[in-house]
Amino acid sequence: MTFFVGHTGAVRLRRGSLENTDLPISVTASDVNSTLNRLYFNGSEDNLITGDQLFVSTEDSRGLAFFSSSAWPGSEQVQPFLRAYVNVNALGGVRFYDKFVDAVNNNRDNELALSTNFAGTIDATVVVRDSRYNTLGSITSYDINTDRGAIETTSLSDKFRQQHSAGLISGNGSIECLFNYQAIADEEVPLFLLQTIQRLDVGSELSMILSLTASQGETSSFSASENEVFYEVQAVITRAGVTVRSDALVACSIDFLTTGEFKVKIGIPNEYILKEDFDLIETEENQETGLGFLLQEVVD
């Protein structure tokens, strides 16, 4: 008989939710800081977090003219949509990158260039919609609980209490981790969970993989062939706290509730390719290293 100890577990996060919340923005040339290469717009400070992947789109005939055409490799024209990771400063200034690791580490060598060569206002829409999972670092423990509501069906003539067994299922849990705000490669940091609960307009929902037997240890890629046992949940952060003591490391505690369906699964967690119509296509390779193949059938 095989037993597992806690170090085989892992938590992976995918920012945003499958039900996207739009954040409308209006951009003028004065909102673009060409020196810092940052874009400022209403709601960025309250809703965006460094490392978020944004889908920016517009119906303006000029396209996203506040970006340079170099933001679209292989294209000499400005396009009406863009998908990029962001680095957000203390004032809500947004800098755009192609890769998560560049955004969280603010690697200016790989930033996407902005432009002020447009007149008037460009109305656009911003959506936080990530396509990949990142491993959450510095975790000490987590727990997840499944509850099933019992519906009483006792009638006046019954001698014993009767219960309907097919009540609604709900889930909740918590994550304990050591505080850290410095990103290592493409690893998520606990600071992100503390910031997520403070999103005002787009909400504090995210996707999580809670692995009991992580086949690849502390990695965010799911390309290994070995199966693992995991919970796949959509969750909303309901409480985030920090404990600071003089005789211990600074620690974080996060509580969450599941939203919608969640199950215990055995296999390889799927990532997604994002389409323009917001449908999802599954892929088994990390997008950071290039797209793999599409899952055309279920493989047992």
Side-chain angles (χ1 to χ4, degrees):
M1 180 179 294
T2 302
F3 296 94
F4 297 89
V5 293
H7 72 268
T8 62
V11 176
R12 303 181 181 98
L13 306 177
R14 183 170 60 204
R15 303 184 182 209
S17 65
L18 299 183
E19 297 182 0
N20 304 290
T21 302
D22 296 347
L23 182 66
I25 64 173
S26 297
V27 179
T28 64
S30 62
D31 296 323
V32 179
N33 187 319
S34 56
T35 302
L36 297 178
N37 201 39
R38 287 190 182 272
L39 175 66
Y40 296 83
F41 54 84
N42 290 335
S44 60
E45 183 179 2
D46 296 328
N47 293 284
L48 301 185
I49 301 172
T50 292
D52 282 345
Q53 186 181 50
L54 304 187
F55 183 81
V56 188
S57 61
T58 183
E59 296 181 356
D60 195 298
S61 59
R62 295 170 293 176
L64 298 175
F66 46 88
F67 284 97
S68 169
S69 59
S70 61
W72 294 270
S75 175
E76 296 181 357
Q77 295 183 341
V78 173
Q79 302 297 317
F81 55 85
L82 177 73
R83 182 162 61 93
Y85 295 94
V86 296
N87 179 279
V88 186
N89 66 12
L91 299 178
V94 181
R95 187 175 286 151
F96 296 85
Y97 294 89
D98 277 329
K99 295 183 178 181
F100 174 83
V101 63
D102 290 331
V104 296
N105 291 299
N106 199 22
N107 183 2
R108 296 209 60 182
D109 292 336
N110 295 327
E111 64 189 20
L112 302 182
L114 298 177
S115 173
T116 57
N117 295 326
F118 65 97
T121 301
I122 295 178
D123 294 323
T125 300
V126 171
V127 179
V128 180
R129 51 193 296 256
D130 208 342
S131 61
R132 51 165 299 179
Y133 288 95
N134 293 311
T135 299
L136 179 63
S138 306
I139 292 180
T140 57
S141 67
Y142 78 82
D143 65 78
I144 181 170
N145 306 297
T146 304
D147 301 318
R148 184 152 206 164
I151 303 174
E152 186 171 342
T153 59
T154 307
S155 61
L156 293 178
S157 60
D158 291 332
K159 302 296 183 182
F160 298 92
R161 188 180 299 275
Q162 305 295 318
Q163 300 285 349
H164 177 60
S165 62
L168 297 177
I169 300 174
S170 63
N172 62 84
S174 64
I175 299 174
E176 304 289 335
C177 51
L178 301 177
F179 176 76
N180 186 18
Y181 66 93
Q182 295 178 326
I184 301 175
D186 59 353
E187 188 177 80
E188 286 282 13
V189 293
L191 177 63
F192 163 68
L193 293 177
L194 301 180
Q195 294 173 315
T196 297
I197 198 172
Q198 298 177 342
R199 294 188 198 260
L200 297 185
D201 299 310
V202 301
S204 60
E205 190 173 0
L206 71 166
S207 302
M208 291 196 294
I209 295 291
L210 303 171
S211 179
L212 282 67
T213 59
S215 59
Q216 303 173 76
E218 295 297 317
T219 178
S220 59
S221 173
F222 299 129
S223 59
S225 59
E226 183 180 353
N227 289 338
E228 59 181 278
V229 181
F230 62 94
Y231 284 87
E232 185 174 24
V233 303
Q234 284 287 119
V236 57
I237 305 297
T238 58
R239 186 188 68 87
V242 181
T243 301
V244 181
R245 296 177 52 184
S246 61
D247 59 346
L249 298 176
V250 178
C252 304
S253 177
I254 295 93
D255 292 346
F256 62 87
L257 293 174
T258 62
T259 60
E261 182 180 1
F262 69 99
K263 293 181 179 179
V264 182
K265 297 183 178 181
I266 300 177
I268 301 173
N270 295 316
E271 292 182 335
Y272 302 101
I273 301 174
L274 297 176
K275 297 168 59 183
E276 291 180 38
D277 57 6
F278 296 94
D279 290 337
L280 301 173
I281 301 177
E282 295 175 341
T283 177
E284 283 194 346
E285 186 174 338
N286 192 327
Q287 285 193 305
E288 206 61 48
T289 57
L291 298 178
F293 56 88
L294 305 183
L295 298 179
Q296 298 178 342
E297 60 182 1
V298 176
V299 180
D300 290 330

